[in-house]
Amino acid sequence: MSLIEKLSPEFRQRCEVIATEQRSLLGVRAFEALPADTLAAKLGAKLFTPDQVPNLEAEQITLLLASDEWSAAIISYSPLWIVCNPRHALTRRESNLMHEIAHLLLKHQPVGFDTVTGQPKRQQNNEDEATFLGGCLQIPKRGLLWATQRKMLLPEIAVHFGASEAMVQFRSNVTGVPI
Ligand SMILES: [Zn+2]
């Protein structure tokens, strides 16, 4: 089942509203790029790479720094600390970070850490919701409409919003805005 089939139209609409609200709080308009770092800073998040996390064991730092298998994770809620995988491309980091921010905005409850891998456990429905909202935060539907009205091509839209081309395609698919 695709993401769009798993999430109700009401939920998807709510995500567009949340994305609009967050932008207006920052004075960022729908057609402007919203860097994940800007939103993270506004939410009071401190961002880390594994080697910067206080009190993390050297062995775990080495494992995390060598792995592509994880993207980003909220490691503390108060204070709000998010660790990001520095191995990923900048555009991927944007979507990783927006995904974690989406978990926060949707008030998902933490589900704890896997004691074997040391990585956060996941609840699929929460993951789907965060992925969807993360995309809205990066490229709101109205922003995508603006770009297509200006006849921007997919790669240009990606650069404009600091997103990957895959994200632009995803947003086109789920919003029905043709590009
Ligand atoms: Zn997640």
Side-chain angles (χ1 to χ4, degrees):
M1 208 193 279
S2 73
L3 194 57
I4 194 166
E5 291 167 320
K6 288 195 272 187
L7 301 170
S8 70
E10 292 74 23
F11 175 79
R12 286 183 267 133
Q13 181 53 35
R14 192 178 135 219
C15 287
E16 295 290 347
V17 171
I18 293 171
T20 301
E21 283 170 357
Q22 293 302 314
R23 280 166 180 266
S24 65
L25 287 170
L26 285 160
V28 176
R29 290 184 282 181
F31 59 83
E32 294 174 325
L34 170 55
D37 281 325
T38 303
L39 187 51
K42 180 224 155 206
L43 295 170
K46 191 162 171 13
L47 306 179
F48 298 89
T49 52
D51 52 306
Q52 296 168 331
V53 176
N55 304 322
L56 199 59
E57 292 187 19
E59 195 182 334
Q60 200 176 4
I61 293 172
T62 307
L63 276 175
L64 290 171
L65 284 175
S67 170
D68 289 319
E69 301 298 308
W70 66 285
S71 303
I74 299 166
I75 51 172
S76 163
Y77 282 81
S78 183
L80 181 55
W81 287 359
I82 303 175
V83 61
C84 298
N85 192 334
R87 294 171 65 92
H88 290 166
L90 281 180
T91 51
R92 173 115 185 248
R93 182 181 179 278
E94 285 292 299
S95 64
N96 292 344
L97 192 45
M98 283 303 200
H99 175 103
E100 298 307 322
I101 289 170
H103 278 305
L104 288 170
L105 296 175
L106 292 167
K107 300 189 168 51
H108 289 159
Q109 295 302 309
V111 286
F113 288 83
D114 187 306
T115 49
V116 177
T117 64
Q119 292 182 20
K121 288 194 219 164
R122 302 189 187 282
Q123 252 172 12
Q124 195 51 49
N125 187 49
N126 285 359
E127 294 313 312
D128 294 340
E129 291 188 355
T131 296
F132 192 86
L133 176 56
C136 294
L137 291 167
Q138 276 196 277
I139 312 175
K141 183 176 182 180
R142 282 171 48 213
L144 193 56
L145 279 167
W146 169 86
T148 56
Q149 280 159 7
R150 289 173 65 98
K151 310 256 185 294
M152 287 168 74
L153 301 173
L154 188 149
E156 295 174 281
I157 300 171
V159 170
H160 178 81
F161 286 102
S164 66
E165 293 188 13
M167 175 57 77
V168 177
Q169 188 61 61
F170 169 73
R171 291 294 293 147
S172 170
N173 294 346
V174 298
T175 56
V177 176
I179 45 170

